[in-house]
Amino acid sequence: MKRTTLLIIAAAINLCGFAQTVAPDSEGMVKSAQEWTRDVVMGWNLGNSLECPNNETEWGNPKTTKAMIHAVREAGFNAIRIPVRWINHVTSQETMEVNATWMARVKEVVDWCLEEDMYVMINTHHEEWLDRNPFYSKQQENNRKLAALWTSIATYFRDYGEKLIFAGTNETTVNWAAPTTEQQAVQNSYNQTFVDAVRATGGKNYYRNLVVQTFACSPYHGLSGFTIPTDPVEGRLSVEFHYYDPYEYCGSCTYYYWGDAYKDKGRVPSSNEKTITNLFDRIRNTWGNKGLGVVMGEYGVANHFTENDKQTQQENMQYYLKCVVSEARSHGFAAFAWDNNAFNNGPENFGIFNRWQNMAVGNTYFLRGITEGAGTEYIEPTPNPDDDDIGQGGMTIWEGDEVLNWGDGLQLSLPATLFENRNSNLQVVLYYTQDYTDYDMFQFFYGDWSVKPTFFVGDSSFDGEFIPSSYYATGSGTSHITPVTFGESTFSIIQNKGLVLQGHGLRLNKVVLNDPTGISTVTKDPSVQGKTYTIDGREVKQANRPGVYIINGKKYMK
């Protein structure tokens, strides 16, 4: 593009009051957000260093050196997230200009990473004035300060190439509670201000990939309340979330085992391998399909174990990290492991490299798990069949709008006669909405309530109980269509005893019996009145020839 054309563009741009000061410079800025995130094979956090309140050794870690960065690269990491606290280093809270000494220090660490040919992300981290005040009363002033701060930072790094990206905020939250509409709106405004301020500095920043955050960097709050900022440049935004789930395993350490692969070793949380896959599918379908990159800015599991089964539990943590990173890689997410250089037993011990011992690997299980997961290649998404088709053509056996609330709600009896002359391929398809303030669950029992039948949702098996919020990684207000199947031995008992469905925190809308093979074993004569269709959807006057027909939404064979 000719320089005269660039100057015309620069003069015309005015982003929410930010006048373009330098013409956009696209040279070398070719990667889209999704290309950038897919190129991150293994990401690492320089945790508890440059985001300390006053100086980078304040929380007990040594000063970052070039040798440390080299060691991280040698271990296989090709990207570094550098959390940075700026507020303690500004010359004035009116101008929010960062003092030269601190800016030079951040630049020094960034340059070391780039010299190692690494991708680099810097952010605003532990800015308490911002992150802990998502209120309308603070919105105008905080946005003014945020715009001024990012103008200062972005201007300083304006000529850097595309391997450096900026992340606008961090974990905006109020006591980690679910956000109000106000709090979501204020965080969304922070994201917009950040984008506007950086783009307005021009140069390479006009095309630089930028990262915006969900409330509390929670994927769940983001899926329900995040608004994509307006950006004059197409395809250069990523959304960031953090993943320490389930927290009872990763954070508070009340579980010592995780996943279906380890459920024979001890007590495991309901969240499992399928939970990660389902959540990441939703994230990609929600944000990736809109052209956004996805950054998992932090993830990890705190080192924790019991002496009587220490090795198995450490191997389990390795397996957890492998699963998380593998799913991130296959979905095209950039994943950055949290490392705070802590190696004891219990919460907050996320250390990988021992910075006090020349970056020796302090937790080999963590590094192995991350490395194993990073070997997964990105998989192009394939269109998913419409969930609304799951039960289409099946036999509706119940329809309504009833709350499952144990003894105070619906308890639906499915008599044994419903399952006569059918085989174990049959699906019981449940249509429902999550409607809870505490937890959600549905259960199947045989008619006498003595034994819980084993059933399957997808490839996962469940002993009588299913928690939609864990399996689908969704919250209250989300609707689902869940097909349930049973093994042959269980199905034979159902044919004798029937089933009872009950639960809590769900609003049931419909139950359908469906044969996914498309062949029904119902042998009633198709002489009932109503519109009649062939199995491929062609309407016919009557079912004269042998075959399978759909009459009034039910399958019949002649």
Side-chain angles (χ1 to χ4, degrees), residues 169-180:
T169 65
N170 185 43
E171 294 171 338
T172 300
T173 184
V174 180
N175 298 322
W176 302 102
T180 64

Side-chain angles (χ1 to χ4, degrees), residues 175-237:
N175 298 322
W176 302 102
T180 64
T181 301
E182 172 188 9
Q183 292 160 8
Q184 288 272 30
V186 174
Q187 171 60 22
N188 287 329
S189 77
Y190 291 165
N191 288 332
Q192 187 64 64
T193 293
F194 159 68
V195 172
D196 292 344
V198 175
R199 294 288 182 239
T201 62
K204 296 186 186 302
N205 287 337
Y206 187 79
Y207 297 98
R208 190 175 308 283
N209 282 304
L210 304 179
V211 185
V212 291
Q213 291 68 39
T214 67
F215 189 87
C217 275
S218 161
Y220 313 106
H221 299 331
L223 289 167
S224 62
F226 168 78
T227 299
I228 301 173
T230 300
D231 189 3
V233 187
E234 184 177 355
R236 298 300 174 96
L237 289 182

Side-chain angles (χ1 to χ4, degrees), residues 249 254-273 304 306 308-309 312-313 316 463:
Y249 176 71
T254 54
Y255 285 89
Y256 288 93
Y257 306 94
W258 173 88
D260 284 353
Y262 281 79
K263 64 183 180 181
D264 62 331
K265 304 298 182 182
R267 190 172 64 101
V268 297
S270 58
S271 174
N272 57 19
E273 298 90 336
H304 64 293
T306 59
N308 63 333
D309 200 15
T312 301
Q313 291 160 1
N316 191 187
D463 293 327

Side-chain angles (χ1 to χ4, degrees), residues 410-440:
L410 174 68
Q411 292 181 325
L412 185 64
S413 178
L414 309 180
T417 53
L418 285 172
F419 302 92
E420 292 176 354
N421 301 318
R422 296 181 181 272
N423 58 52
S424 59
N425 289 324
L426 185 74
Q427 295 175 331
V428 178
V429 185
L430 307 179
Y431 294 69
Y432 59 94
T433 300
Q434 295 170 236
D435 186 8
Y436 66 95
T437 56
D438 44 8
Y439 65 94
D440 60 321

Side-chain angles (χ1 to χ4, degrees), residues 349-467:
N349 288 282
F350 294 98
I352 301 172
F353 300 102
N354 193 321
R355 299 178 213 173
W356 289 107
Q357 296 182 3
N358 297 317
M359 297 296 280
V361 178
N363 195 315
T364 56
Y365 295 96
F366 284 7
L367 184 57
R368 284 180 199 151
I370 294 167
T371 304
E372 290 170 356
T376 302
E377 296 293 333
Y378 168 69
I379 301 172
E380 284 285 350
T382 55
N384 292 323
D386 189 348
D387 284 344
D388 291 339
D389 292 338
I390 292 175
Q392 188 174 5
M395 183 173 71
T396 299
I397 58 175
W398 184 89
E399 193 164 10
D401 185 16
E402 296 287 343
V403 172
L404 302 184
N405 187 26
W406 304 129
D408 296 327
L410 174 68
Q411 292 181 325
L412 185 64
S413 178
L414 309 180
T417 53
L418 285 172
F419 302 92
E420 292 176 354
N421 301 318
R422 296 181 181 272
N423 58 52
S424 59
N425 289 324
L426 185 74
Q427 295 175 331
V428 178
V429 185
L430 307 179
Y431 294 69
Y432 59 94
T433 300
Q434 295 170 236
D435 186 8
Y436 66 95
T437 56
D438 44 8
Y439 65 94
D440 60 321
M441 177 189 294
F442 69 69
Q443 295 178 327
F444 281 116
F445 284 85
Y446 299 121
D448 59 7
W449 303 90
S450 60
V451 181
K452 299 177 182 179
T454 298
F455 60 86
F456 298 87
V457 176
D459 296 328
S460 300
S461 64
F462 301 88
D463 293 327
E465 300 177 346
F466 178 80
I467 302 174

Side-chain angles (χ1 to χ4, degrees), residues 53 84 93 100 251 263 275 312 331 339 403 412 458 462 507-508 526:
V84 183
Q93 292 201 21
K263 64 183 180 181
T275 305
T312 301
H331 285 77
D339 184 347
V403 172
L412 185 64
F462 301 88
R507 185 177 291 276
L508 191 65

